[in-house]
Amino acid sequence: MAMKFFFFDLETTGVDHTIHGIWQIAAIIETPTETREVNLKVRPRADKVIEDEAIAIGGVTREELAAFPIDRYIYLALVAVLATYVDRYDKTDKFFLCGYNNTGFDNKFLRRFFEDNGDKYF
């Protein structure tokens, strides 16, 4: 099995994945034959809390967030990119998720992003 890496960082509207959302997904996909950069801006879902301090850290305003594509479009775009490299239904064909503090933070937000879009195959 070839090693495939998904190096990623998320910008969020707060620190609690159960109430806050993602507003940016930046990633590098690395496979044995290709390296690809991904940078997606996301309008947080209407049910997500937006903390002013959190978005100020990222240098974005509420008005800018409102102009980003809705999360469903970004979810579909992300899944299409990931499907280029892995078969989501094959348990042996997966990415290694990589990044600073991802296990304790980013992975939870990304998993919730998938769940919010009705997808259990994170």
Side-chain angles (χ1 to χ4, degrees), residues 9-21:
D9 184 44
L10 304 178
E11 297 300 331
T12 65
T13 64
V15 296
D16 183 344
H17 71 281
T18 64
I19 62 169
H20 298 113

Side-chain angles (χ1 to χ4, degrees), residues 7 27-31 34-38 77 80-82 84-85:
F7 298 93
I28 296 174
I29 296 169
E30 189 175 294
T31 71
E34 185 177 350
T35 300
R36 179 176 183 173
E37 292 184 18
V38 176
V81 168
L82 298 176
T84 303
Y85 303 99

